[in-house]
Amino acid sequence: MDSAERNDGEENHVVVEMMVASSSSSEIDPPAASGEIRDEITPLLNQSQKPKINIFSISYPRKKPRDQLSRLTEAEISAVSQAAQWAWNGSRYSGIVCVALSSLIYCIMEIISDLFTAQSIPLIETTFARCTIILILSYFWLRRSGQPVLGPTHARSLLFLRAVLGCLSLFSFIYSIQRLPLSQAIFLSFTTPVIASIVARIFMNEKLKISEMGGLGCSFFGLIFLFAPILTTQGGVGSSVYITGSNQTYAVLIGLFSAISGGVNYCLIRAAATSSEQPVTTVFSFGVLATLVGGICTFAFQDIVVPSVYSLLIIITLGVLAFFAEVLLARGFQLEKTSKVANIQFVEVAFSQIWLISSLRLDSSFGRLLGILLILISTCSTMYIGPDKETG
């Protein structure tokens, strides 16, 4: 028996062979003792001349690093795809999950804006660029999915109203943020979820349970604790020049108008997304009108600043993130009732404050920590309770 190693392309084989010696007449005859010993040794010495029988072969497969890496990559992509599918439509919690992801993306956008400083570009021009990116991405999304770009015929009036109210809310917020301290403008904008819940209760007949009212109240009180120290001062983070007197009152009223129109806009997003069965159509309709208005304001009232390559990359990144945040928010409104979606939105403020405290831009005062805790308790309880069996 003999063993030999053979390399056949991709695999190594260890072959075990048995030697069979043929008997001749001269080896059978009884010779002298020395002749017998020589005849017994001869088969072992002349192995190359004897026939070989292959009993079995043992193969050892070679490791293929490229194949293993490709399999790992495919497994990771599959896991991400399954997670995205579950968040989009794979669970009764999908609506809440989509809104939470949308709030997280908005917080990431704020962190990117803080970390990667670029050249000074007018806010209207930045808004125009972001709305343009949202318009382009939503158009290709609808074309690729085979959905009508303008939405179903029966839902176009809702989509138009959603676009109008969305633009009014956006550009009035831009006006207020340029005339008021940033903290005051943000505080006014976050009254939008409360207003949306009230409007949905009055005009859409959505049931507003005591637990949901308590959750909204808890989150709003947490918001007051967060912004109370800087609401009492004239200054704010990120602004340098503010107006006073009657002009300030006018700016506050514009901020309140932004919040009210934003609350009505949330209800229209829910109605249009439910009617059209495609949340991206609400994003596209808003993108068309917002891009048009933003372009007119940019070229008519602003000095255009050509961004550098670095600034352009940041603008594109924020625009793509804003698109996904808007799509997830619309999907959340499509699947879940307005009051629950509105309460989850407060988690964006909590994440933002946690980031500012961890980066040592804000002090960790008792009131601020209490506000964060109230918001987190309220939103977590909303997620724990989950959606109703019948929403709407």
Side-chain angles (χ1 to χ4, degrees):
M1 182 176 293
D2 187 19
S3 64
E5 184 175 355
R6 184 172 68 239
N7 187 1
D8 294 335
E10 298 294 332
E11 295 184 346
N12 290 332
H13 297 272
V14 177
V15 180
V16 181
E17 299 174 341
M18 182 180 67
M19 312 301 301
V20 179
S22 60
S23 301
S24 60
S25 58
S26 61
E27 293 172 352
I28 300 175
D29 296 333
S34 59
E36 292 178 357
I37 295 175
R38 185 169 55 254
D39 292 336
E40 292 176 359
I41 297 177
T42 299
L44 300 177
L45 297 177
N46 300 327
Q47 293 178 4
S48 59
Q49 301 176 0
K50 306 302 179 182
K52 299 178 181 180
I53 299 177
N54 187 350
I55 300 178
F56 59 91
S57 63
I58 306 173
S59 62
Y60 299 95
R62 286 183 176 180
K63 294 182 179 179
K64 300 179 180 180
R66 293 182 181 178
D67 292 348
Q68 289 182 350
L69 289 176
S70 62
R71 290 173 184 173
L72 289 175
T73 304
E74 292 175 358
E76 292 174 357
I77 294 175
S78 177
V80 173
S81 177
Q82 290 178 0
Q85 185 177 4
W86 177 85
W88 185 260
N89 196 22
S91 170
R92 60 189 294 262
Y93 292 89
S94 293
I96 296 176
V97 172
C98 286
V99 180
L101 290 175
S102 174
S103 300
L104 180 61
I105 291 175
Y106 278 124
C107 183
I108 292 174
M109 291 172 59
E110 181 179 349
I111 293 173
I112 291 176
S113 300
D114 289 340
L115 291 179
F116 302 97
T117 56
Q119 68 186 103
S120 178
I121 299 177
L123 185 57
I124 292 291
E125 184 177 345
T126 304
T127 304
F128 168 65
R130 189 173 298 178
C131 292
T132 303
I133 295 173
I134 290 175
L135 173 63
I136 294 172
L137 293 178
S138 58
Y139 173 78
F140 282 109
W141 181 304
L142 291 173
R143 294 290 295 178
R144 185 176 181 82
S145 61
Q147 299 291 332
V149 176
L150 298 179
T153 305
H154 63 276
R156 289 178 182 175
S157 58
L158 290 173
L159 292 171
F160 176 75
L161 290 175
R162 179 268 186 270
V164 172
L165 268 297
C167 286
L168 289 175
S169 177
L170 173 63
F171 289 100
S172 57
F173 173 72
I174 291 175
Y175 178 86
S176 65
I177 208 173
Q178 291 177 333
R179 299 293 187 272
L180 294 173
L182 183 61
S183 58
Q184 295 181 12
I186 291 177
F187 178 81
L188 290 174
S189 70
F190 270 98
T191 60
T192 299
V194 179
I195 295 173
S197 301
I198 297 173
V199 173
R201 177 66 183 91
I202 296 174
F203 294 100
M204 300 180 68
N205 296 322
E206 285 192 0
K207 296 179 180 180
L208 192 59
K209 297 181 179 180
I210 296 178
S211 60
E212 296 167 355
M213 295 175 61
L216 287 171
C218 183
S219 296
F220 191 74
F221 275 111
L223 191 69
I224 293 176
F225 277 109
L226 287 176
F227 289 99
I230 44 183
L231 284 175
T232 55
T233 61
Q234 184 65 27
V237 180
S239 301
S240 57
V241 179
Y242 309 110
I243 56 179
T244 57
S246 60
N247 291 330
Q248 185 180 16
T249 303
Y250 179 73
V252 171
L253 291 176
I254 294 295
L256 286 175
F257 173 76
S258 173
I260 294 173
S261 57
V264 178
N265 179 49
Y266 281 171
C267 296
L268 289 172
I269 291 175
R270 173 168 170 76
T274 304
S275 179
S276 63
E277 299 181 356
Q278 176 57 262
V280 185
T281 55
T282 65
V283 180
F284 177 78
S285 62
F286 167 74
V288 171
L289 190 58
T291 301
L292 179 62
V293 175
I296 293 174
C297 294
T298 299
F299 291 100
F301 306 110
Q302 296 285 337
D303 295 330
I304 299 177
V305 177
V306 179
S308 62
V309 176
Y310 177 74
S311 300
L312 184 62
L313 289 176
I314 295 177
I315 291 174
I316 293 175
T317 301
L318 294 177
V320 173
L321 290 175
F323 166 73
F324 285 108
E326 287 291 328
V327 170
L328 288 171
L329 181 63
R331 180 62 174 173
F333 275 112
Q334 183 187 24
L335 297 178
E336 193 52 71
K337 62 190 299 186
T338 307
S339 58
K340 290 184 179 294
V341 172
N343 194 22
I344 297 297
Q345 284 189 294
F346 282 103
V347 78
E348 178 188 345
V349 188
F351 288 158
S352 176
Q353 293 293 309
I354 292 173
W355 158 250
L356 292 174
I357 292 174
S358 61
S359 60
L360 303 179
R361 300 190 182 187
L362 287 177
D363 60 319
S364 55
S365 63
F366 174 77
R368 188 168 286 113
L369 294 178
L370 180 60
I372 293 174
L373 182 63
L374 288 175
I375 292 176
L376 292 179
I377 290 175
S378 176
T379 54
C380 289
S381 63
T382 301
M383 293 181 182
Y384 177 77
I385 294 173
D388 299 333
K389 294 182 179 179
E390 295 181 2
T391 59

